[in-house]
Amino acid sequence: MYAEERQQAIAGEVRARGRVAVTELAERFDVTGETVRRDLASLAQQGLLVRVHGGAVRPDVAAIGAEPDLQEREQSMLAEKTAIGAAAQAFLPPAGGSVLFDAGTTTLRAALALDPDRDLAVVTNAIPLAAHLSTLPRCEVTFVGGRIRGKTQAAVGVETVDAFRRLRVSVAFLGTNGLSRTHGLSTPDPDEAAAKRAMIAAADRVVLLVDSSKFNREDLVSFGALSDVDALVTDPGLDDSLRAELQALDIEVVIA
């Protein structure tokens, strides 16, 4: 295989998967690691990928840390998030059970879809969710406090994490800024990550509510592995290869 053909194949892998490793590519194309590194350097100069330690990532995957405001995220993929929120109702515990709602615009859609006559003990650290849930006559709402992040209107910090550590809920509805095979579930803020990690530990069952724009994306801090997730509710944008990998981890996948 000529170098140009190999580089085209590598560029295709990056587009499809989001990330590639030098060792993996060297084995696949039966070349040395140094040859692969030269290929990646050439592709990086063309703007087709971004070099990272041990390999390369797609340019949009490398764009970490740019966290949009809550208002902007509320309008992004609204129809898909609304459908995901409706489909999430199938994972609610029986009447009288307990459910935790993470901060986020997709988890908010799940909260908005709740039957007002549903008898539930609800826990959240998100101001917008608590404001809505407190209007439901059959919901007993516990707000977990702490320092409020303006970006997400969520309580975070040591007090928040300690409070979650004292809880045990039947189901946790979690959101994520990024989801990838290698980096797991991730978010730009370390304090948000610590709160989400504590939520995972507090739940008997973790249900991830995520639209397909988050797939093959990696943000600064990983707060959980894919294996921490019991079920995932998403939109039809989920590609077949990632779906197969999720199901291989015994994750129930629901397309809303």
Side-chain angles (χ1 to χ4, degrees):
M1 179 180 287
Y2 293 111
E4 183 177 342
E5 295 175 312
R6 187 176 59 250
Q7 289 174 14
Q8 288 177 351
I10 292 171
E13 285 286 304
V14 174
R15 283 195 301 271
R17 297 170 47 196
R19 172 183 290 268
V20 292
V22 169
T23 53
E24 178 186 359
L25 293 173
E27 182 178 350
R28 175 176 174 180
F29 295 108
D30 194 24
V31 294
T32 65
E34 185 58 35
T35 297
V36 171
R37 292 184 187 93
R38 285 197 296 268
D39 289 338
L40 296 180
S42 176
L43 292 168
Q45 288 179 349
Q46 300 172 53
L48 298 176
L49 52 80
V50 176
R51 293 291 309 276
V52 297
H53 179 70
V57 297
R58 203 170 54 216
D60 64 302
V61 174
I64 60 175
E67 187 178 10
D69 290 332
L70 187 62
Q71 293 81 1
E72 180 182 343
R73 288 187 290 114
E74 283 177 344
Q75 299 307 312
S76 172
M77 299 190 75
L78 181 57
E80 290 84 353
K81 291 175 181 178
T82 301
I84 291 168
Q89 306 306 299
F91 293 96
L92 287 171
S98 55
V99 57
L100 186 156
F101 284 89
D102 183 16
T105 54
T106 311
T107 51
L108 175 60
R109 292 294 138 187
L112 292 172
L114 277 178
D115 181 347
D117 291 325
R118 187 84 179 228
D119 184 11
L120 289 172
V122 180
V123 179
T124 187
N125 67 326
I127 292 176
L129 277 82
H132 169 70
L133 292 166
S134 64
T135 68
L136 303 182
R138 304 295 295 276
C139 278
E140 180 183 324
V141 182
T142 298
F143 179 73
V144 175
R147 178 178 65 85
I148 304 299
R149 282 196 75 221
K151 281 280 188 182
T152 58
Q153 291 293 291
V156 297
V158 174
E159 293 179 2
T160 309
V161 171
D162 285 346
F164 280 129
R165 284 175 176 166
R166 294 192 295 269
L167 297 176
R168 172 60 58 181
V169 297
S170 301
V171 178
F173 287 133
L174 257 68
T176 184
N177 296 73
L179 182 153
S180 75
R181 299 164 176 85
T182 54
H183 199 48
L185 313 176
S186 58
T187 189
D189 184 76
D191 287 340
E192 290 263 11
K196 290 174 181 287
R197 199 173 296 120
M199 293 179 202
I200 290 173
D204 291 332
R205 193 175 195 200
V206 174
V207 180
L208 191 68
L209 309 182
V210 56
D211 69 75
S212 58
S213 70
K214 309 303 194 310
F215 296 138
N216 297 318
R217 176 189 171 105
E218 297 180 350
D219 276 285
L220 183 64
V221 187
S222 174
F223 63 85
L226 296 183
S227 56
D228 291 322
V229 177
D230 297 294
L232 180 145
V233 186
T234 188
D235 60 71
L238 174 65
D239 66 74
D240 291 339
S241 61
L242 180 54
R243 181 173 184 169
E245 289 192 36
L246 294 168
Q247 291 175 328
L249 292 171
D250 201 27
I251 298 172
E252 181 180 355
V253 178
V254 174
I255 305 298

